Amino acid sequence: MRRIQLYDTTLRDRAQSEDVSFTLDDKLRITERLDDLGIHYVEGGWPGSNPRDEEFFRAVRGLRLRQTKIAAFGSTRRAGIRAEADRNLEALLRAATPVVTIVGKTWDLHVRDDLRIPLEENLDVIRDSVAFLASRVAEVIFDAEHFFDGWLRNPDYALACVAAAAEAGATLVCLCDTRGGALPAQVGRAVDAAQGAVPATRFGIHCHNDAELAVANSLEALERGCVQVQGTMNGLGERCGNANLVSLIATLELKQGWTCVGAEHLAKLADVSRLVYELANLEPNKRQPYVGQSAFAHKGGLHASAVQKNAETYEHIDPALVGNVQRILVSDLSGRSNLLAKAAEFGIDLESDPAALQRLLRELKDLESQGYVFEGADASFELLMRKALDGDRPRFFRLIGFRVIDEKRHEREAPIAEATIMLEGPDGAIEHTAAQGNGPVNALDSALRKALGKFFPEIHEVRLHDYKVRVLGSPEGTEAVVRVLIESGDEHERWSTVGVSHNVIEASWQALVDSMDYKLHKTRRAAG
Ligand SMILES: [Zn+2]
């Protein structure tokens, strides 16, 4: 079976994107998880350009990695000096990694207009830099920058650059679509040409996503014989991002039948994808292929019922293979079959308890008429099902009372919000706390967590990711009702809850309580 090497550049290429910055701890955590997932190479950063990357290379030596080799990234030496005298190359060696990757120019336009040196001199720069590193480091990867653009404009020169790197001792030449505008057929022809020019060389592919073709271009290059694919987790990188390794891993394993991480690691994919979003402080892309929340979501009616009979009808793969789950969206809960399907998704058997099913249908009708929706509030819905089955929903605390104060003391001053809360925890213990926030709901949320955290330390793992308020018109046009949807999460999962009231604080409170109860319920369910 064909094996494909995975080279992750999330920590380097991704760090260049405008809204991402990882701490040293984040980087070490990501590296450990990528190792556990089965990624072959992790590019840790650019030691010559960023002192914080040097810290990473020191610290990463303390990790016990089983699979992953760490690579340091840099560029070919400056023109006009010897490789031995180049500070950038020296910093690469100081990183003491088993792999060094250097990027070099292969497009004549760049050599002339950016480096401003004769074309022949750039070949010397490549040869000298690669040879210098090859005699000191186990593996040297040459990133052929702008190879695909260069090959279109001046194929002989682009190929001469690739040959220079290969002949100087590069263990692998990685062909880069640095501007991200290439098309699959062009990539295929250019890869063929490179392999024709230096047949004994091993090639990799590094694509950017500016024409939304990074994954397609990478697949084409692998199809033509490249042995390594470079990319980032979730595809996020500078501009429009890099080739998405998450999609590539799933596609290579499940569709091409090639091995990259191995089937046994594939189910970790969704979890690693989420962790990277968390640490990057970015909202996960719901519609992300394979691992997104909506990737296997089916909305009521025909699709949901077909998918219940045979998932293959509307699912291109079994979501469990990549660590994802099927979701049935309940938009019309009064439909009995929708409800049963939704319950089954939570592992709840409603079919054998017709009385509970009736109770649930009645309660749902009532709640929906008040303005509740459960389509985007799975966690609230699970609590509701528990209530129908067990007579009461899981509860872990009792509210004695809360007070929220919003104060603005001057026109030019921002308002201050403060919440106090008193609640009864396990064994009748009373907790009374106060917290400030940038708004009343934020203050209430902080006070609730602070109070609950005393009894249940796992509450500190919960984070609020999204908060949406919608004003629902009432038929009489008098008493408007607001609906609040909250998305919370911990490292493993995200969940959504809903609240409805005439009062926005009360609606938020309901959604917050559902969120905390759900977290506590889920922790206990997992513990058996
Ligand atoms: Zn790149």
Side-chain angles (χ1 to χ4, degrees):
M1 191 188 301
R2 242 191 103 182
R3 291 190 167 273
I4 304 293
Q5 288 180 352
L6 302 168
Y7 183 110
D8 179 279
T9 176
T10 307
L11 301 183
R12 202 264 312 169
D13 242 355
R14 175 93 180 268
Q16 287 171 4
S17 80
E18 53 185 325
D19 42 12
V20 173
S21 97
F22 292 119
T23 66
L24 176 61
D25 270 355
D26 293 343
K27 288 182 176 184
L28 294 171
R29 252 180 99 187
I30 290 173
T31 304
E32 277 181 313
R33 291 292 283 273
L34 293 177
D35 176 54
D36 182 55
L37 176 64
I39 302 289
H40 307 96
Y41 297 89
V42 165
E43 192 171 84
W46 191 332
S49 81
N50 188 350
R52 278 180 55 205
D53 287 350
E54 295 193 19
E55 263 176 69
F56 170 82
F57 289 111
R58 264 196 303 279
V60 79
R61 273 172 247 152
L63 298 183
R64 284 238 208 111
L65 303 177
R66 283 162 301 177
Q67 161 84 38
T68 298
K69 290 183 199 171
I70 302 295
F73 179 87
S75 75
T76 47
R77 70 156 164 79
R78 281 191 296 131
I81 55 171
R82 290 176 306 120
E84 282 83 354
D86 189 276
R87 287 228 208 101
N88 199 354
L89 293 180
E90 191 195 306
L92 280 173
L93 294 178
R94 259 207 320 275
T97 53
V99 184
V100 165
T101 300
I102 52 165
V103 61
K105 304 283 187 200
T106 66
W107 184 2
D108 59 354
L109 173 110
H110 272 260
V111 179
R112 268 196 291 264
D113 294 354
D114 183 11
L115 293 184
R116 298 186 174 185
I117 56 174
L119 295 185
E120 188 54 44
E121 192 182 337
N122 178 52
L123 296 178
D124 285 339
V125 166
I126 293 173
R127 253 182 242 119
D128 186 28
S129 306
V130 170
F132 170 78
L133 292 170
S135 62
R136 291 166 174 83
V137 183
E139 286 181 50
V140 178
I141 294 175
F142 178 74
D143 271 3
E145 191 183 27
H146 295 292
F147 172 75
F148 295 97
D149 292 310
W151 182 76
L152 278 181
R153 307 284 186 89
N154 186 343
D156 290 344
Y157 187 69
L159 294 174
C161 293
V162 162
E167 283 152 15
T171 30
L172 182 135
V173 174
C174 191
L175 306 173
C176 302
D177 182 24
T178 314
R179 297 199 304 182
L183 300 175
Q186 290 168 3
V187 166
R189 285 195 298 274
V191 169
D192 285 350
Q195 293 182 125
V198 270
T201 301
R202 296 159 74 240
F203 286 97
I205 180 76
H206 176 121
C207 293
H208 280 259
N209 203 31
D210 299 69
E212 213 172 27
L213 290 167
V215 167
N217 286 340
S218 303
L219 280 174
E220 182 62 25
L222 294 171
E223 189 77 62
R224 299 296 180 116
C226 287
V227 298
Q228 177 183 97
V229 60
Q230 302 196 349
T232 59
M233 297 310 288
N234 302 323
L236 297 175
E238 61 181 324
R239 301 190 313 275
C240 311
N242 288 53
N244 185 348
L245 275 189
V246 174
S247 305
L248 276 162
I249 289 169
T251 303
L252 293 175
E253 291 275 350
L254 297 172
K255 313 242 167 196
Q256 291 278 27
W258 297 338
T259 301
C260 49
V261 294
E264 69 278 20
H265 293 303
L266 200 56
K268 299 172 186 166
L269 207 52
D271 234 16
V272 178
S273 156
R274 258 189 306 263
L275 175 85
V276 171
Y277 277 123
E278 286 271 330
L279 296 182
N281 211 4
L282 292 173
E283 271 308 303
N285 173 6
K286 273 193 177 176
R287 287 176 177 75
Q288 186 166 332
Y290 294 104
V291 296
Q293 231 193 344
S294 304
F296 301 95
H298 309 281
K299 198 159 176 169
L302 286 176
H303 286 204
S305 81
V307 112
Q308 284 300 300
K309 291 177 201 137
N310 179 357
E312 230 182 311
T313 49
Y314 286 97
E315 290 179 354
H316 70 122
I317 60 152
D318 173 1
L321 293 173
V322 292
N324 207 346
V325 287
Q326 180 187 83
R327 286 170 64 230
I328 305 293
L329 302 176
V330 269
S331 54
D332 173 22
L333 281 165
S334 34
R336 196 172 161 276
S337 65
N338 274 350
L339 199 53
L340 289 174
K342 187 75 192 167
E345 185 191 318
F346 288 93
I348 294 174
D349 175 22
L350 273 180
E351 207 153 11
S352 59
D353 191 346
L357 182 60
Q358 274 314 314
R359 274 198 297 278
L360 186 55
L361 277 168
R362 255 199 318 274
E363 176 145 31
L364 278 171
K365 269 215 174 85
D366 182 37
L367 289 171
E368 285 184 339
S369 73
Q370 295 174 37
Y372 286 83
V373 289
F374 294 92
E375 193 178 330
D378 273 2
S380 290
F381 186 65
E382 183 174 357
L383 294 172
L384 214 57
M385 280 193 290
R386 293 283 160 204
K387 184 179 163 195
L389 272 178
D390 309 334
D392 201 2
R393 54 175 270 174
R395 268 181 208 286
F396 300 90
F397 62 95
R398 185 175 73 84
L399 174 72
I400 299 171
F402 68 68
R403 172 178 292 161
V404 179
I405 302 166
D406 230 349
E407 191 182 9
K408 189 173 173 80
R409 278 177 268 198
H410 193 283
E411 252 180 32
R412 281 191 299 270
E413 231 172 60
I416 306 165
E418 193 188 272
T420 55
I421 191 166
M422 198 191 287
L423 50 83
E424 186 185 328
D427 307 320
I430 305 285
E431 186 60 37
H432 190 186
T433 51
Q436 289 195 336
N438 55 24
V441 175
N442 179 245
L444 187 60
D445 173 49
S446 304
L448 176 61
R449 277 164 214 255
K450 215 162 134 187
L452 283 178
K454 297 267 165 63
F455 306 122
F456 310 105
E458 65 266 39
I459 286 297
H460 296 303
E461 295 160 12
V462 180
R463 282 207 250 156
L464 205 65
H465 289 287
D466 200 13
Y467 174 85
K468 283 197 199 86
V469 185
R470 179 137 176 223
V471 180
L472 308 172
S474 61
E476 301 81 33
T478 45
E479 293 182 287
V481 161
V482 288
R483 178 166 65 217
V484 166
L485 277 171
I486 286 179
E487 193 184 339
S488 319
D490 56 23
E491 195 188 299
H492 306 288
E493 194 190 337
R494 293 204 171 201
W495 59 90
S496 302
T497 53
V498 62
V500 172
S501 168
H502 294 295
N503 180 320
V504 67
I505 306 251
E506 167 61 18
S508 308
W509 169 255
Q510 291 170 11
L512 284 173
V513 170
D514 272 12
S515 173
M516 300 303 151
D517 277 342
Y518 178 81
K519 164 71 177 175
L520 295 169
H521 167 63
K522 151 177 119 93
T523 316
R524 275 145 197 80
R525 188 182 51 197

